[in-house]
Amino acid sequence: MARSTFREAGAYLSLLGLLVLAGCTPGYEELPTYRYRLTVELATPQGVRSGSGVIEVHTWQAGPQTIPSPGAIRTREDGEAIVIDLGRQGLVFALMRAGNFMDWPGSVARSLIPSVKGDTYDVRGAEIAAIKAMRGVREVPPTFASGSSQLQNWPDLVRFADRSRPETIRWIGPLPPGRIAPFAVAIRRVTFEIVDAPVTRTINRRLPWLSDAAGETRLPTDLDRAGLDPFIPPLSSFDFTRNVDR
């Protein structure tokens, strides 16, 4: 009997491992997936420059009996930072994050739909239905109200002095009030459009070291090294490309 129990326990653990590897968690329901094209326009001394990319968002919601967090939401974003080519000034990267809002790529669409009211277990499904029903290009507001807080809703910007060397990363913005930007570039507009197109996968050609980065490799910026970064959350390789659960 004990041997049979051990076999059953082993089978359960094996199944659980397979579910985790597949991106599933027992007790979670997968909601519809959607893809969107994010376009970032920059104002530069040479005029407006832009770049775009397609990002895919997967969402799971815990059921009412799930322990310890019934109704909890998990997302997985599949995509990469937006690359804006400034010609002789090099490339600017609009990251897959917005300040402290690390789940921003999976949440930005919610800033473009009316607030959804209702039962906890129905709200996110209704939100995704509204997102998938959007047509045409929408402008993304620079901030997003979440409860009593205003969250940053435009991506962070960085560049590299030498793209082959991650240690040469340079922070562009946003910057705290009163700090002068050393690189005269700022976001002019961000747009969002629901699309049925392949997820963008070009960044490894732009940043050859990225495919070898282990896990969420920490990337100290020039402001980190100067001790000037209390305003800026730490950067990592995860901000450039991701396909993992959050």
Side-chain angles (χ1 to χ4, degrees):
M1 180 67 70
R3 187 173 300 172
S4 174
T5 301
F6 281 129
R7 280 201 300 267
E8 291 172 1
Y12 174 78
L13 291 173
S14 297
L15 176 60
L16 182 61
L18 289 172
L19 288 170
V20 170
L21 288 173
C24 305
T25 301
Y28 278 74
E29 175 190 1
E30 184 168 9
L31 301 179
T33 297
Y34 62 91
R35 292 182 181 182
Y36 64 92
R37 176 174 288 108
L38 191 75
T39 300
V40 179
E41 295 182 1
L42 300 183
T44 80
Q46 290 72 40
V48 176
R49 300 290 185 269
S50 67
S52 65
V54 174
I55 297 168
E56 183 175 72
V57 179
H58 299 258
T59 308
W60 291 267
Q61 183 170 31
Q65 307 303 320
T66 304
I67 298 173
S69 304
I73 295 293
R74 290 175 52 215
T75 62
R76 186 180 74 208
E77 302 91 19
D78 187 2
E80 56 190 39
I82 307 301
V83 181
I84 303 101
D85 191 341
L86 302 188
R88 295 178 63 182
Q89 287 188 294
L91 304 180
V92 169
F93 297 85
L95 301 180
M96 294 194 74
R97 58 174 250 179
N100 286 309
F101 197 1
M102 302 303 179
D103 294 335
W104 175 74
S107 302
V108 61
R110 296 172 61 207
S111 68
L112 304 174
I113 60 172
S115 177
V116 176
K117 307 294 184 183
D119 182 80
T120 301
Y121 300 101
D122 297 331
V123 166
R124 187 53 67 96
E127 288 178 338
I128 292 178
I131 290 167
K132 290 175 69 71
M134 283 195 291
R135 296 293 179 267
V137 176
R138 306 288 185 94
E139 286 203 28
V140 176
T143 60
F144 174 39
S146 178
S148 59
S149 302
Q150 285 288 330
L151 300 177
Q152 180 182 325
N153 203 36
W154 282 358
D156 296 334
L157 302 177
V158 299
R159 65 186 182 94
F160 291 86
D162 179 349
R163 285 188 285 119
S164 67
R165 298 168 55 211
E167 67 271 19
T168 67
I169 191 170
R170 302 288 186 266
W171 182 267
I172 296 177
L175 290 169
R179 185 169 296 165
I180 298 174
F183 195 65
V185 166
I187 293 179
R188 175 179 178 270
R189 188 170 75 138
V190 178
T191 64
F192 175 105
E193 181 183 14
I194 290 292
V195 297
D196 181 13
V199 173
T200 302
R201 303 193 189 282
T202 63
I203 201 165
N204 285 340
R205 297 201 303 269
R206 313 277 193 164
L207 301 174
W209 50 268
L210 190 58
S211 59
D212 296 325
E216 293 187 35
T217 302
R218 179 84 155 78
L219 298 173
T221 69
D222 52 327
L223 297 187
D224 284 300
R225 290 187 289 275
L228 299 174
D229 73 332
F231 168 82
I232 299 167
L235 296 182
S236 77
S237 55
F238 186 74
D239 298 318
F240 289 87
T241 182
R242 63 176 71 175
N243 182 13
V244 297
D245 295 347
R246 296 291 284 176

